[in-house]
């Protein structure tokens, strides 16, 4: 039997529903990754539903080192943070957040979509979306809000909106 967040889990050959784990993570004293590195690392590990051993194997480090990082007994190097973030399959902004919480500078520059520096990328994206017509193409932000869509997607979205009003 394993103890995870105060819950006894038994390993069986059956498929186990783990949807309750995320709710348990949110209900614990773990804060969102905005406080400090040890808490943020533990937060992301639990969100990804990984044990310390699974993270250690994925990141190719010792379980003891992961434990020391989560308790604050060890200070991670910049390379270690990036290695752990990759093992946790974290989005790039979260990589930057983890680096900042450990006292390092961002590794991935973030530019707003309306920045003149990424105008060529915006133009290429618009061209690809226009050439994709009549099939739908939708460009979303990290929160799944529609930023841009082509005519095919606009037709589809309008049909879905009008169907929802009936």
């Amino acid at each position: 039997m394993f103890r995870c967040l105060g819950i006894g889990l038994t390993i069986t050959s059956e498929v186990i529903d783990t949807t309750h784990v995320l709710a348990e993570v949110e209900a614990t004293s773990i804060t969102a990754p905005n406080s400090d590195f040890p808490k943020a690392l533990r937060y992301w590990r639990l969100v990804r539903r990984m044990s310390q051993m699974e993270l250690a194997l994925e990141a190719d480090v010792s379980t003891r080192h992961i434990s020391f990082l989560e308790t604050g007994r060890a200070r991670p190097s910049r390379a270690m943070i990036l290695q752990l973030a990759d093992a946790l399959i974290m989005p790039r902004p979260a990589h930057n957040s983890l680096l900042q919480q450990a006292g390092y500078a961002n590794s991935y520059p973030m530019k707003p979509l309306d920045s003149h520096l990424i105008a060529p990328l915006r133009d290429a994206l618009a061209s690809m979306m226009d050439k994709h017509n009549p099939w739908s193409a939708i460009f979303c932000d990290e929160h799944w809000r529609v930023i841009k869509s082509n005519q095919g997607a606009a037709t589809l979205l309008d049909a879905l909106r009008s169907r929802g009003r009936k």
Side-chain angles (χ1 to χ4, degrees):
M1 170 149 338
F2 292 93
R3 301 295 294 168
C4 175
L5 300 172
I7 301 170
L9 299 175
T10 305
I11 296 179
T12 67
S13 59
E14 301 171 11
V15 176
I16 299 172
D17 180 25
T18 59
T19 54
H20 66 283
V21 173
L22 209 50
E24 303 258 346
V25 168
E26 292 169 358
T28 63
S29 62
I30 302 167
T31 59
N34 285 331
S35 53
D36 61 332
F37 178 79
K39 286 183 182 179
L41 178 61
R42 183 165 188 258
Y43 171 86
W44 278 102
R45 181 179 60 77
L46 293 175
V47 165
R48 295 297 188 227
R49 298 184 178 134
M50 296 175 85
S51 66
Q52 287 183 346
M53 182 177 285
E54 289 170 327
L55 177 57
L57 290 171
E58 196 66 34
D60 198 28
V61 297
S62 73
T63 306
R64 184 177 187 179
H65 190 56
I66 298 295
S67 174
F68 279 22
L69 289 172
E70 284 189 4
T71 59
R73 290 179 64 186
R75 186 173 188 279
S77 68
R78 182 180 184 79
M80 176 57 62
I81 294 170
L82 294 175
Q83 190 174 335
L84 291 169
D86 286 339
L88 289 166
I89 313 170
M90 292 170 58
R92 296 297 185 219
H95 277 70
N96 285 342
S97 176
L98 212 55
L99 285 165
Q100 288 174 354
Q101 289 163 355
Y104 296 104
N106 289 347
S107 185
Y108 301 100
M110 302 297 290
K111 302 284 185 239
L113 192 58
D114 58 354
S115 170
H116 73 282
L117 297 172
I118 60 171
L121 177 64
R122 261 193 333 270
D123 295 342
L125 182 63
S127 175
M128 286 182 354
M129 291 177 80
D130 289 341
K131 290 187 183 342
H132 200 66
N133 268 325
W135 297 281
S136 59
I138 300 172
F139 179 63
C140 298
D141 67 3
E142 68 272 12
H143 302 291
W144 295 99
R145 292 180 293 223
V146 175
I147 303 295
K148 185 172 177 60
S149 63
N150 67 358
Q151 187 57 45
T155 303
L156 175 67
L157 293 173
D158 288 341
L160 290 173
R161 278 189 209 112
S162 67
R163 182 179 173 132
R165 290 183 203 141
K166 290 181 181 180

